Every structure is written in C-alpha cells, then in structure tokens.
Amino acid sequence: MKVGSGSILSLAVLAAVFFFFSAPSPASADEGLSILLTSNLEGKFAIETAERPDQDPLLVIAQGIIRERKTGRIGLYLDLGNAFYPGPLSKFSYGAVMSEYLGTLGCDATLVSSRDLQIGTDHLETLAREGKTRLLSANLMRDKQPLFVPFALFPAGRDTVAVLAVSSTDIRFDIAEKKLYGVYAAPWEERVPQVLEEIRKARPRHTILLSGLSLQHTIALLEKNRDISMAVCGGDNTGDLYGGRAVRVELEDGRPIVMLARSDGYYRLDMATEPRLRVRELVWKSAEEIAQTLKPGAPEKADPAFAEFSRRLAFWQKQFRKEEDAVVTEAREKAFPVSDSKLTGLLRDRFDAEIAIVEKGTLVPSDYQGEIRHAKILDTVNLDYNLFVYDLTGEEVRKILGKDPLLLIDGISGERIQGYRIEDKRRYRVASTQTAYDRIVKILAKEPAYRNTWQTVSELLLADLQEGKIVFRDDYRYLDRRFRTTLDVKLSNYLDHSTVSKGDDISPPPGKPADSYKKWGLDNRIDLTLYNNLHQFVLTPELRYERTDDQYLQNLLRGTFVYNLNLQGPLQPYHKSQFETVLEEQRSGFRPMLLRETVGVSAVWGIAKARLGLGFEKRINDPVEPYVYGLETIGNLKYPFWEYLTYGLDVDSFFGAQSREGARPQVRSEITNALTFSISRYVGFSLKHRWVYLYSAELEENYSDSQFLTALDLAMDYKIW
C-alpha cells in the first residue's frame, strides 16, 4: 500500500497533536505538596468545654484540620513546637493530652521547643516512644547523644521528603536536668552537617528544615548547607524582623523561608516540588474564622477519631477538676489583678531581696475574685520555672539595665536601690526566675553563683495565697523600709616612711608620733552600716598601730558614728560623733582623748562625695582643754583609671577656735592620696601618702606628719539581711 505525501503530512500532524495531549505538561507532572503547619499551640485547652467543641480554640482548629485532611490534598502536617506547655490541662497530664491531640489530627512531626521542655525531658521521651507524632530535634543532647530523633523521612508522591529539626540554641532546660543529666543544646554549626550526612544516605528528593532559630541564624544555616531545600520557622522563632513580623523570605538562590507568625489557627502551605520546592500559596486560617463556618452536626464533629479524642479530653478535664479544683483562698471584697509586676513584689518580699527580675510574660494578667482555685493559679502561670536567689555587684546590675527588653526589673529607680546610688563594688541580693537568670547569664557572659530555692512560680503563688496574699497588694513601698546591714572590713599591712616636724610646745594629736621613723604597721577599719530607704547609721572603729621597743609610732584608736537622713535629693543632712584616743596607754602614763560632734549636709557628685558641718572638738583627757567650735569639711574622691587601677583622695579638716574671748584659730587636717592596684576582688596593693597637720595660732606652732605608705590591702564586704 502506498501512502501519498499528503497522507504522510496528515499522519505527522495527527501524531504531533496526539503527543501534545498525551505527554504530561510541567504543571501536571508536578503534583505539588500541601503541608499543614501549626506553632505555639501551648496545650491551652479550656477546662470545661469538651462537650462544646465550638468554644475551645484548640478543638475549633482541630475541626479545621480534619476538614483539610478530608480533601485528600494534604501531604504532611508539621508542628513547629511549644505545643505541650503551658496549658494547665497539658501540664497536668505531662503533655499526654496534647500528644493525643496531635496524633488524632495526624501530625507527622513536631519540633521540640523551649516551652515543651517544661514538662520534663523524661516525659517528652515517653511521648516520643508511645505517641503517634514524631518529636524531632537535631541539637538537643544528653551526654553527647541526641535526646530526640534528628530527622524523619516521609513519602511525597513518588518521592521522599526529609524533615530536619533544629531547636533554638537559647532553649532553657530545667536546672536539675541540666546539672544532673547533662542535657544541653549543641550549636547548629556542629550538628547540622552531621545529620545531613545521614540524610544523604536516604537520598530524599527534598529536605525541609523546621527551625526554632532566629531568622539570622536560619539564613546562615541555609547558606552553609545548600542540601536543605527550604525552611519553616516557628516555635521559639515568632517571625520578628526589624521590629515587625515577616511571613516569607526568599534567598538569592530561590530557596524559601516561611515564618509562622501567628498561633491561633493553622497555615496551609501549597508547594511546587519540581524542579525545586517553591511556594505557590500560604493560606492562614484562624480559629475564629473556622468557628464561623462550623455548623451543628458538621461531619468534622462526627469524625470517629475526633469523637474519641473528645471523650478522652472530657476524661482529662474531669480528672483535672477532681484534683485541681480545691479552693485555695477567697477574695470577696473586689477583683485583685495579678501580673508580672505583682510577682516581682512577691519575690522581693518572700526572699528579702533588693531586686527582683522576671521574664515578661511569666504570668498571664488575671483578676482574682471570689473562690480562687488551684486551677486558676495553673492557668495564670505561663513560665513555671524554679526560683533562684543570688548576688550581683552594682557593676553587674548596671550592665543588665536596659539590655534585654524581655526582662522586668523591680527594686531599681533612677539608678538607685532602696533609695541609694548603685555602688559598683557593692553586692545586691536578687531573686529571679530561672528564665530571667538565663538571660542575665547571656548579658554578663558568666554564671553568678546562685541558690536554687527548688520552688516554682506556681508553688510560690499557691503558698502566698494560702498565707500572706502579698500578691494582692497594690503598694510595695514597705519593702524599701526594711532595714539591712552591711559590714565592710579593710585590713592593711604597710611599710611606713614617716617624716615629722613640729614646734617645741605643741602636742601631737592623739596616737601620732613625735619623731620621724620607718616601720611596718597596721591600719584596720570596719564599717558597720544599718540602713533603710530613709535612715542610715554607720559605726566605724579604726585602728592605726606601729611601735618599736621603746615608743609608739602610730597608736590611734578612733570610733565614728554617723547618722544620714536619706532625702534622695542633692543634699542629705547628717550628724557625726567621733572619738579618738590611743590603743595602749603612752609610756608617760597619758591617755589623750579627743571628741568631735558635728551636724551638716552631705552631697554626692558622680565619683566625689563631700560633707560640710558645724560643731565642736574638745580634748577631754590628757590634757583637758576648752571647746573648739568650728567648721568640718570632709571630701572623698575615687577615680578608676582602669579596671584594676584606682586613684583615691580623702580629706578631713576642722577649722575652729576656742570659745573664750580673744581665742585664736586652729586647724586640724588629714589628707590621704592613694593609688590602688587590685589583684583580686579582695586583695590589693596600694601606694599612699598621708599628711596629718595641726596648727595652733595660740602657740604659733604647727605639727606635721608626712607618711609614705606601701601597703598590702585586704578588703571584704558582707551583707547581713
């Protein structure tokens, strides 16, 4: 049979048309992948709504997910973490009710995030073994071994998709688990390449990253690991970007990053899979929106798995009410607001701390009125971590101020603590939650020694509501009226090169030498301070002692008592009583004694302090002399050149005259200059020059003692609460 050229042309056209319609187009070859995504569900089931699923947001979300599942388009359901905590029902069941929820909805995997760990790693491991949902994390470790499965493989059409999970490196472990079991979050730079080696052996078509890292670290991870096809961020990453919230970011090579900024619903992510993963559409469905579409008798409610879960939820709710419905206390008069600021007041009261620090959001703001049940407390506490008590120096306190917007710091006002300026070297007692402590550790780049109270936030609230109800107070100013005590001990062992000059008739001040010398000596001082926000009492015994076999070179025993009225303004009134004598009676049998009484005002300007007062001096023994009335001037300055080198200047002068008619003036002054090299917090080395000067116009003579001291100093400070 012969075929003409026209027939050949017709067959060619027919074949081309057949090939065009029968060959798969790019769109039809790419079946795509639809993924359901949730994040930060927090296990917040309502306590009494199992039989009214339209009123429980989590049950509403569940019905929306069931509806999506019934379309047959959903390939995966992935949760980005913080699913198990802090909902009271989930806490009560140690995450079991939330594990059943995720399993009922066919959740394929969830990223283990910071709040999930609050139910305990041992409970999470049990849920991972017995639940239907895989718990994933590549970098949560115990004794250098992964706590959870690092990745999972899932079918996607004809191909396989790997899901790799990386938890936030800022994740917090319970302090007992961290110390006793050695759990920690390994750097992603270390773990991700190791896990990707295992994933490559399975030869998946695509690898999806579930990331709890910040966006910056997620981008860095993708740039260094190009085997990863895309990333989904959620859980501890809430999509924050330059003060706003982003939903999608695309890298230069086209790989997408999807961020789950919302938690009160679910996302449906529709992806193209060929030749690479590409976002077609990201759809958000809120619980409120889903609830408006639900009708009585909707097929979602009749779903056997959902119906079974509703029965299980009702069981958990019944058990919860049975055990947690006990009345703790009553608040009949009015509604008492309870919030983070009330918690800080309670912490300062309970642990007698000057400063209380919590992470914002530790408590959900709530009103307490009528019968207050244990369940109410559990519902209020959002971050139920242990409470720590520790000391921070004033310098460390300054470092944390304003550094972390998530820290709520109570007890500091205008760089004053209990009404006094923050002193860099002074220690202050701090009570905080573990989460706040962890943030402080990051700021200071060190771990201050702490005392674990082994009491959680909810336990503290429960104890307070049963007894003092401090958390119901509106005014916490009484905390600043509490008296505290500090003890500062300064011991100095020095080599003294002293040059003395004096007139023939003038007597040296008490305890001062009459001739020049070079000798080792002691200079010891103790400051005992009792204070609150208004009143400060300072008692200071001081000893300077040197002697040879036949004479005393320094033999001063001084006691000073100062009262300061703290008006928290530029000027503060004070009263001072000072008594000077000798430690050991002089060989002449004399024991000279000098008394000074003054009242005046003090002021502080940055690194300088000054006092100006009126009063009198009087020798009351060996010899007894008339009153000398006059003006007292005291100045102190400390200038830190470097962290370990400080210059100090101390001036103490009294200008006066005797009360009798025709009396002539006299001057008594002591000026000390010092350079101190700090070897450690307690030990220092100093070079000092101390000049003691006494001038009597009556005798027209003066006394001068110039001392050059090379000293080894020991300084200790204690706070007695």
Side-chain angles (χ1 to χ4, degrees):
M1 177 180 177
K2 293 184 179 180
V3 181
S5 60
S7 300
I8 294 174
L9 180 61
S10 299
L11 287 172
V13 172
L14 183 62
V17 171
F18 176 81
F19 177 79
F20 178 81
F21 283 103
S22 63
S25 66
S28 62
D30 185 355
E31 298 176 357
L33 177 64
S34 291
I35 305 174
L36 294 181
L37 300 166
T38 54
S39 178
N40 291 309
L41 295 177
E42 297 185 341
K44 290 187 175 179
F45 292 101
I47 304 302
E48 299 179 351
T49 56
E51 297 177 358
R52 294 174 292 167
D54 295 353
Q55 298 182 20
D56 188 325
L58 284 186
L59 294 182
V60 170
I61 293 171
Q63 293 173 78
I65 290 175
I66 290 171
R67 182 184 300 171
E68 294 279 3
R69 285 287 200 188
K70 289 184 179 296
T71 64
R73 297 182 302 168
I74 304 304
L76 288 173
Y77 170 21
L78 303 174
D79 179 75
L80 271 291
N82 289 331
F84 299 100
Y85 189 90
L89 207 59
S90 188
K91 280 193 285 188
F92 173 76
S93 65
Y94 295 103
V97 65
M98 198 62 198
S99 178
E100 292 181 27
Y101 175 85
L102 295 174
T104 297
L105 300 180
C107 180
D108 296 286
T110 180
L111 167 67
V112 180
S113 297
S114 60
R115 293 192 176 185
D116 298 325
L117 291 169
Q118 273 295 281
I119 66 170
T121 56
D122 51 347
H123 295 296
L124 287 176
E125 288 178 295
T126 300
L127 298 178
R129 287 193 305 269
E130 300 178 359
K132 298 178 181 178
T133 301
R134 294 178 176 89
L135 274 62
L136 303 182
S137 177
N139 60 324
L140 297 186
M141 314 290 285
R142 178 170 55 206
D143 295 331
K144 299 183 180 181
Q145 297 298 319
L147 265 172
F148 304 99
V149 177
F151 71 95
L153 300 171
F154 300 99
R158 300 176 182 177
D159 296 316
T160 301
V161 172
V163 176
L164 163 66
V166 177
S167 302
S168 169
T169 50
D170 293 331
I171 208 161
R172 302 182 188 94
F173 292 92
D174 178 84
I175 191 65
E177 293 181 333
K178 186 161 59 173
K179 296 293 184 183
L180 298 178
Y181 303 131
V183 294
Y184 64 98
W188 61 263
E189 297 92 338
E190 171 189 319
R191 285 291 297 153
V192 170
Q194 297 172 1
V195 177
L196 284 176
E197 284 294 327
E198 299 179 43
I199 292 176
R200 290 189 191 102
K201 296 175 184 177
R203 303 175 65 85
R205 183 72 178 88
H206 301 289
T207 299
I208 298 174
L209 169 68
L210 303 185
S211 175
L213 303 170
S214 66
L215 179 60
Q216 178 184 359
H217 286 157
T218 300
I219 292 174
L221 189 156
L222 291 178
E223 291 289 354
K224 291 184 178 180
N225 300 277
R226 296 187 176 272
D227 288 3
I228 299 174
S229 309
M230 69 167 295
V232 182
C233 298
D236 296 320
N237 180 337
T238 55
D240 292 335
L241 181 64
Y242 302 115
R245 283 193 172 183
V247 176
R248 281 176 56 188
V249 173
E250 198 166 277
L251 300 184
E252 186 179 6
D253 59 9
R255 287 180 295 166
I257 301 175
V258 175
M259 285 161 285
L260 309 187
R262 299 185 62 178
S263 60
D264 56 331
Y266 68 86
Y267 292 88
R268 190 186 72 240
L269 177 63
D270 295 328
M271 307 284 295
T273 58
E274 297 297 340
R276 56 179 174 81
L277 286 183
R278 177 170 47 85
V279 176
R280 288 175 175 166
E281 187 178 23
L282 181 64
V283 179
W284 164 251
K285 295 285 187 180
S286 69
E288 182 179 359
E289 180 183 350
I290 298 168
Q292 292 174 355
T293 65
L294 295 176
K295 299 178 182 178
E300 293 82 6
K301 296 184 177 66
D303 181 85
F306 181 77
E308 174 60 25
F309 174 74
S310 296
R311 286 191 291 271
R312 291 286 299 159
L313 179 62
F315 167 78
W316 281 114
Q317 290 170 337
K318 182 179 179 181
Q319 291 297 112
F320 179 83
R321 289 194 299 271
K322 181 179 178 181
E323 296 188 26
E324 306 295 340
D325 212 29
V327 176
V328 174
T329 188
E330 294 184 355
R332 296 296 185 187
E333 312 89 57
K334 62 176 184 177
F336 292 93
V338 175
S339 61
D340 289 337
S341 60
K342 297 294 188 71
L343 176 60
T344 56
L346 175 57
L347 285 171
R348 290 175 62 200
D349 180 281
R350 171 64 180 80
F351 300 108
D352 199 16
E354 293 149 290
I355 304 169
I357 308 175
V358 301
E359 184 176 343
K360 292 178 182 177
T362 296
L363 298 186
V364 177
S366 307
D367 287 334
Y368 280 51
Q369 189 173 23
E371 291 185 340
I372 299 169
R373 304 178 185 277
H374 193 196
K376 177 70 172 179
I377 298 173
L378 296 178
D379 201 34
T380 300
V381 178
N382 193 37
L383 299 173
D384 199 15
Y385 287 83
N386 281 3
L387 302 172
F388 291 178
V389 178
Y390 47 94
D391 291 346
L392 293 180
T393 65
E395 184 179 13
E396 291 168 339
V397 170
R398 291 182 194 274
K399 285 182 180 179
I400 66 175
L401 289 177
K403 289 296 191 301
D404 189 335
L406 290 180
L407 288 180
L408 177 63
I409 303 176
D410 184 33
I412 302 176
S413 177
E415 292 207 352
R416 290 176 180 265
I417 297 176
Q418 205 165 349
Y420 298 91
R421 292 178 181 272
I422 298 174
E423 299 179 39
D424 284 349
K425 302 301 181 183
R426 177 70 63 197
R427 293 180 300 158
Y428 299 93
R429 177 180 286 182
V430 180
S432 79
T433 57
Q434 181 187 333
T435 57
Y437 175 84
D438 289 340
R439 289 184 174 276
I440 290 168
V441 167
K442 290 189 64 176
I443 296 172
L444 299 180
K446 71 173 192 177
E447 293 189 9
Y450 62 86
R451 176 174 66 86
N452 190 347
T453 67
W454 297 109
Q455 187 177 36
T456 64
V457 175
S458 60
E459 290 168 345
L460 176 67
L461 275 179
L462 175 62
D464 178 62
L465 290 173
Q466 289 174 331
E467 297 175 3
K469 297 185 178 64
I470 300 299
V471 78
F472 283 174
R473 284 178 174 263
D474 294 320
D475 185 357
Y476 292 93
R477 286 179 295 180
Y478 73 94
L479 294 170
D480 288 334
R481 293 194 291 271
R482 288 180 172 177
F483 276 93
R484 305 183 187 279
T485 305
T486 60
L487 182 66
D488 297 290
V489 180
K490 299 176 182 177
L491 308 177
S492 184
N493 194 337
Y494 60 81
L495 175 63
D496 180 3
H497 186 105
S498 182
T499 303
V500 174
S501 64
K502 73 180 189 68
D504 294 333
D505 298 323
I506 193 168
S507 299
K512 303 304 292 182
D515 300 298
S516 301
Y517 61 89
K518 182 186 291 185
K519 188 68 177 176
W520 285 98
L522 300 175
D523 187 349
N524 300 334
R525 172 189 175 120
I526 297 175
D527 291 319
L528 179 65
T529 305
L530 177 69
Y531 70 97
N532 68 1
N533 63 324
L534 290 176
H535 309 287
Q536 184 186 61
F537 306 91
V538 185
L539 178 63
T540 305
E542 185 176 358
L543 169 67
R544 296 178 191 168
Y545 186 76
E546 297 174 43
R547 66 168 295 174
T548 61
D549 291 337
D550 58 349
Q551 67 172 323
Y552 296 102
L553 305 177
Q554 295 286 335
N555 185 21
L556 172 65
L557 179 62
R558 175 187 292 161
T560 306
F561 179 78
V562 178
Y563 166 72
N564 296 300
L565 178 61
N566 184 24
L567 301 179
Q568 301 184 31
L571 299 177
Q572 312 290 345
Y574 79 92
H575 169 261
K576 174 184 170 185
S577 299
Q578 182 171 293
F579 175 78
E580 292 183 1
T581 185
V582 293
L583 178 65
E584 295 185 7
E585 188 178 86
Q586 296 176 347
R587 293 193 178 275
S588 61
F590 289 169
R591 185 180 289 275
M593 298 180 185
L594 177 71
L595 178 67
R596 183 196 294 185
E597 290 280 346
T598 53
V599 292
V601 293
S602 61
V604 178
W605 297 277
I607 60 174
K609 300 178 182 178
R611 283 181 179 165
L612 183 64
L614 296 173
F616 67 85
E617 279 191 348
K618 178 176 174 55
R619 279 183 176 264
I620 59 176
N621 195 45
D622 292 338
V624 177
E625 294 182 353
Y627 286 96
V628 177
Y629 295 96
L631 180 71
E632 173 186 67
T633 59
I634 298 175
N636 308 94
L637 181 145
K638 285 189 176 181
Y639 183 82
F641 289 107
W642 294 288
E643 183 179 358
Y644 299 105
L645 177 62
T646 303
Y647 167 72
L649 172 65
D650 294 297
V651 178
D652 186 344
S653 300
F654 189 85
F655 306 89
Q658 293 182 3
S659 58
R660 62 183 175 81
E661 185 177 349
R664 303 184 67 182
Q666 68 179 45
V667 178
R668 197 158 85 98
S669 183
E670 181 176 312
I671 301 174
T672 303
N673 287 272
L675 273 178
T676 301
F677 303 85
S678 298
I679 300 172
S680 69
R681 182 173 181 269
Y682 300 106
V683 180
F685 172 77
S686 60
L687 301 174
K688 300 179 183 178
H689 175 259
R690 180 184 293 141
W691 181 53
V692 177
Y693 178 75
L694 175 63
Y695 172 74
S696 172
E698 187 83 19
L699 301 175
E700 295 185 348
E701 290 186 355
N702 66 69
Y703 170 91
S704 175
D705 179 11
S706 178
Q707 296 176 269
F708 288 93
L709 308 176
T710 304
L712 181 64
D713 305 316
L714 176 65
M716 297 171 288
D717 63 281
Y718 306 92
K719 184 163 283 188
I720 306 167
W721 285 272

